[in-house]
Amino acid sequence: MGSVFFIDMTKLRDQILTRKSVAEDSLITKRTLWNSVEKLFHNQLTSSIATSTKSRVFDPKLTTLTLERGYRVMSQLPTGKVRAVSSNDQATSTMMNLVLDKYIIPHANAQFDFLTKLRMMDIYSNLYGNFFALVDWDVKQNGYVGPDLWLLNIRDIFPQVGAVSVEDSDYIIVRTWKPLSYFEGLSKQKGFKNVGKIITKLKDISGSKQNRSDSTDKSEREKAQYPSAVAAKEAGYYEVLTQYEKDRWVDFCVDADLEYRDIKNPHENGELPVACKYSIPLLDDFMGMGDFERGKSMQMVVNSIWNLYLDATKMSIFPPMIINKDNVAAMSSIKYGAAEKWLGRGQINNVAQAVNLSPKGIATFNNTYQVANAALLNMFGTSDTTVTSQ
């Protein structure tokens, strides 16, 4: 497990919590952007469109393009091979390729199978601008011992403020959520400390995951479809912060306010174990820029076109009526519907008439939709047979 560091625990605790707090403050505006692009990804209309139209239709063009590209780019596993430097190494390289293809990739299935994880990294990087994964060694009950890849929630990443990338960072803090059984399992292993104290404290409280802030720590889908549940005592998931430095890893249980691991980097490579996949890397933004941020306004145009067109179509089928109340015997009889009977007096032609609306707005739907659709396709560098050459 590596050598253990001995320093003032209070100082280490304050360092981790302060760095996390500073990172959270720097990401406040970015998290607001994540909320808006998640609504587009999950086909949720923005409040401005939802309140101004009755149709409430969403055209998932941007989501479809992102998913299609993700499955096209990651249609299969990478085909790279280990190559021998000299003829004396050919047997070794052959063996390493067999281990990679037949042992590591089939068993590197934490969370999802390996191909699915690569696809998700590509898709989510286009959503948020970048996406993170933890690369570490895993020991499984089925006998597998080797490297694996864990996808990390974008809201559980707390980067070093001022750094432009993971490679440029001295540290990165990752938040995970662990059940009580996780800590009970650690009590049987070497290299950990304060585990007994942590278990004692956690048994008196419920997990804190359900208490996350709706505005900053929960995705739009989680807020919309999963109500906040209160975990029972000794149940739920507890917050753990891991501070990864190039030469040192520290695990800290927030709910118990205790650190339980402080070791040297077991990889001994002088690198952070967090991989980052960018959509569009930027010099002035650690999180980069995604296609959803670029295409957000045009996706809203597409949604607006559909909803305005459908509202206008309904109005053309059921146009507004001008009623002469002086020629109506009973206003309560005026009901809009098939075979309704109105009570009028005098000339029936003067009782009511439909308002003649211009069809020019509806007639422009096809052209306007194709232009907006073409703009999204151009952004993704692809084409569609439904878009004319003009």
Side-chain angles (χ1 to χ4, degrees):
M1 297 299 295
S3 301
V4 178
F5 288 82
F6 295 97
I7 68 168
D8 186 352
M9 293 303 303
T10 302
K11 182 178 179 181
L12 179 60
R13 167 193 177 277
D14 293 342
Q15 180 192 71
I16 295 175
L17 294 178
T18 300
R19 286 177 171 178
K20 180 208 172 197
S21 177
V22 171
E24 280 185 312
D25 293 340
S26 69
L27 293 173
I28 288 178
T29 304
K30 183 65 68 173
R31 293 187 180 212
T32 302
L33 173 64
W34 294 342
N35 292 338
S36 63
V37 296
E38 282 177 349
K39 286 185 177 180
L40 297 180
F41 184 67
H42 299 142
N43 300 340
Q44 300 176 15
L45 286 173
T46 60
S47 57
S48 58
I49 298 178
T51 56
S52 61
T53 179
K54 294 182 179 180
S55 297
R56 309 288 176 87
V57 173
F58 192 105
D59 184 352
K61 191 69 180 179
L62 189 56
T63 301
T64 301
L65 289 171
T66 300
L67 293 175
E68 189 275 333
R69 186 168 72 177
Y71 279 83
R72 185 178 69 249
V73 171
M74 296 295 179
S75 60
Q76 61 183 12
L77 288 168
T79 56
K81 298 294 181 182
V82 178
R83 299 296 181 186
V85 177
S86 66
S87 58
N88 295 332
D89 298 327
Q90 289 183 356
T92 302
S93 64
T94 301
M95 178 61 69
M96 292 178 69
N97 284 320
L98 287 173
V99 171
L100 177 64
D101 295 336
K102 304 300 182 182
Y103 181 69
I104 294 178
I105 291 179
H107 291 92
N109 54 9
Q111 299 174 311
F112 305 94
D113 64 90
F114 193 63
L115 179 58
T116 298
K117 288 189 284 190
L118 294 182
R119 287 174 175 169
M120 292 176 69
M121 285 196 71
D122 185 75
I123 291 171
Y124 278 114
S125 68
N126 291 327
L127 176 64
Y128 299 115
N130 65 350
F131 200 65
F132 300 90
L134 174 67
V135 181
D136 196 9
W137 209 256
D138 194 15
V139 179
K140 297 184 178 180
Q141 294 182 353
N142 62 4
Y144 172 72
V145 178
D148 209 333
L149 183 77
W150 288 264
L151 304 181
L152 301 174
N153 191 311
I154 193 73
R155 290 177 173 80
D156 290 335
I157 296 292
F158 305 97
Q160 181 180 6
V161 176
V164 298
S165 66
V166 173
E167 289 74 13
D168 183 53
S169 303
D170 296 320
Y171 69 86
I172 189 168
I173 296 176
V174 176
R175 176 172 59 190
T176 53
W177 303 92
K178 304 295 185 181
L180 183 60
S181 58
Y182 166 79
F183 296 98
E184 292 174 340
L186 294 183
S187 63
K188 305 174 183 178
Q189 300 182 25
K190 296 181 179 180
F192 298 92
K193 54 186 178 180
N194 297 325
V195 176
K197 296 179 180 179
I198 292 175
I199 294 174
T200 301
K201 287 189 175 183
L202 296 186
K203 283 185 176 181
D204 292 332
I205 59 177
S206 61
S208 60
K209 186 176 182 179
Q210 73 278 357
N211 297 326
R212 289 172 297 156
S213 170
D214 286 347
S215 60
T216 58
D217 289 336
K218 290 185 179 180
S219 69
E220 289 299 309
R221 189 174 185 85
E222 188 176 2
K223 287 186 286 187
Q225 299 190 12
Y226 293 92
S228 298
V230 178
K233 190 176 180 180
E234 297 186 39
Y237 283 76
Y238 302 90
E239 183 177 2
V240 170
L241 296 178
T242 302
Q243 180 174 267
Y244 293 106
E245 297 178 285
K246 294 181 179 181
D247 61 344
R248 181 185 186 188
W249 295 4
V250 179
D251 289 323
F252 175 74
C253 179
V254 177
D255 293 314
D257 198 26
L258 286 170
E259 168 261 337
Y260 60 91
R261 187 177 69 160
D262 187 355
I263 62 173
K264 288 184 177 181
N265 181 352
H267 295 178
E268 298 181 352
N269 55 7
E271 297 180 1
L272 301 178
V274 176
C276 175
K277 193 276 175 183
Y278 281 99
S279 176
I280 304 173
L282 301 173
L283 280 175
D284 55 353
D285 190 345
F286 185 95
M287 294 297 180
M289 180 171 65
D291 289 325
F292 268 76
E293 182 179 353
R294 294 197 301 147
K296 176 183 175 182
S297 59
M298 193 54 62
Q299 176 65 60
M300 295 175 68
V301 169
V302 172
N303 291 339
S304 296
I305 293 170
W306 267 114
N307 286 282
L308 290 174
Y309 169 73
L310 293 174
D311 283 357
T313 301
K314 182 178 181 180
M315 186 170 289
S316 67
I317 298 174
F318 305 101
M321 303 291 293
I322 298 178
I323 298 176
N324 186 349
K325 67 177 183 178
D326 294 334
N327 290 348
V328 177
M331 288 298 296
S332 60
S333 69
I334 305 299
K335 297 180 180 179
Y336 207 70
E340 292 289 352
K341 298 175 178 60
W342 297 1
L343 299 178
R345 60 167 66 95
Q347 295 291 329
I348 60 174
N349 293 334
N350 293 330
V351 175
Q353 64 178 6
V355 178
N356 293 322
L357 302 174
S358 173
K360 291 183 178 180
I362 299 178
T364 62
F365 169 78
N366 286 334
N367 290 336
T368 307
Y369 178 76
Q370 284 200 12
V371 170
N373 187 26
L376 286 174
L377 292 172
N378 288 336
M379 189 190 75
F380 277 82
T382 186
S383 59
D384 192 327
T385 55
T386 61
V387 178
T388 65
S389 59
Q390 292 178 345

